[in-house]
Amino acid sequence: FRSRLLCPSDFVLRTFVAQGVGTEKLARHQYGFDPSIYYPRPTGEQRGLRQFTALFVGECSPRKGLHYALQAWLDSTASRDGVFLIAGEFLRGYDQTLARYLEHPSIRILGHRTDVPQLMRSADVLILPTVEEGSALVTYEARGSGCVLVVSNAAGAICRHLEDGLVHDAGDVAALAKHLNMLHQGPELLS
């Protein structure tokens, strides 16, 4: 029996390989979610009757890329008539740095929440523009709840660009804004 390092995403695996760890010492695995807690909203709900809703869940910090999400949101058409929900605690002072974005009427700061499954069911997309992540459990939960993943390539999310999610290079605000526009303006793509 040989010991191996478990890598929850291809992103994590590549970071070990880049540091000189041989692939024979690495094994891929993935996390999951509890489908009795994270499940989609009822199929009968009419999409056109509600506001386009984006959701960020996690620590509000530079590492998670919330500043990229806010810039992209305000650059997108979604900010005109949609809502961007932010569920999580802010790193001390980070909210002050982002104040000019956070004051926009389409952005709602929710703070730490215990009703994340319900928030995910109410959202159309989960935005996670992180710059470093192992394999964000929140992406599994969001997909299980019916959210479209709009994530950076550093999120470790199990999705393929334009197949079952939209993936941008970490830090690419223009691409993230374009992805939000595609979903906001394209109900068939969102579906």
Side-chain angles (χ1 to χ4, degrees):
F1 180 75
R2 288 192 307 167
S3 296
R4 292 192 178 167
L5 294 170
L6 294 177
C7 300
S9 70
D10 291 335
F11 177 77
V12 171
L13 190 133
R14 287 191 304 268
T15 63
F16 279 108
V17 171
Q19 293 298 313
V21 176
T23 55
E24 73 282 354
K25 295 180 181 178
L26 305 173
R28 273 283 281 118
H29 79 98
Q30 70 183 56
Y31 299 119
F33 66 93
D34 184 341
S36 69
I37 298 172
Y38 296 95
Y39 52 86
R41 63 183 159 264
T43 55
E45 184 179 319
Q46 294 286 331
R47 165 67 197 110
L49 299 178
R50 29 183 225 92
Q51 193 173 34
F52 181 83
T53 304
L55 176 65
F56 174 93
V57 176
E59 176 187 73
C60 301
S61 69
R63 177 180 165 269
K64 296 287 186 176
L66 180 58
H67 53 292
Y68 297 133
L70 290 166
Q71 287 176 293
W73 175 259
L74 294 177
D75 289 346
S76 77
T77 59
S79 67
R80 295 181 197 154
D81 59 6
V83 62
F84 183 13
L85 307 174
I86 301 170
E89 294 294 324
F90 277 84
L91 187 68
R92 190 172 26 172
Y94 189 53
D95 54 341
Q96 295 160 349
T97 302
L98 301 176
R100 65 185 169 115
Y101 300 118
L102 298 173
E103 293 169 356
H104 194 272
S106 69
I107 296 170
R108 299 198 184 123
I109 302 167
L110 305 177
H112 176 76
R113 298 294 289 248
T114 58
D115 61 344
V116 171
Q118 292 87 353
L119 288 172
M120 288 181 173
R121 279 190 287 282
S122 74
D124 295 299
V125 302
L126 175 84
I127 302 175
L128 185 61
T130 185
V131 296
E132 59 177 5
E133 201 76 44
S135 180
L137 183 57
V138 70
T139 63
Y140 292 84
E141 296 166 344
R143 265 179 90 177
S145 301
C147 291
V148 173
L149 299 183
V150 181
V151 297
S152 75
N153 59 352
I158 306 298
C159 66
R160 293 170 308 280
H161 182 62
L162 290 175
E163 289 184 35
D164 54 3
L166 296 173
V167 182
H168 62 279
D169 289 336
D172 189 342
V173 173
L176 178 52
K178 178 183 174 186
H179 294 165
L180 289 171
N181 284 339
M182 290 167 60
L183 294 167
H184 176 249
Q185 297 169 8
E188 64 289 337
L189 180 61
L190 183 60
S191 292

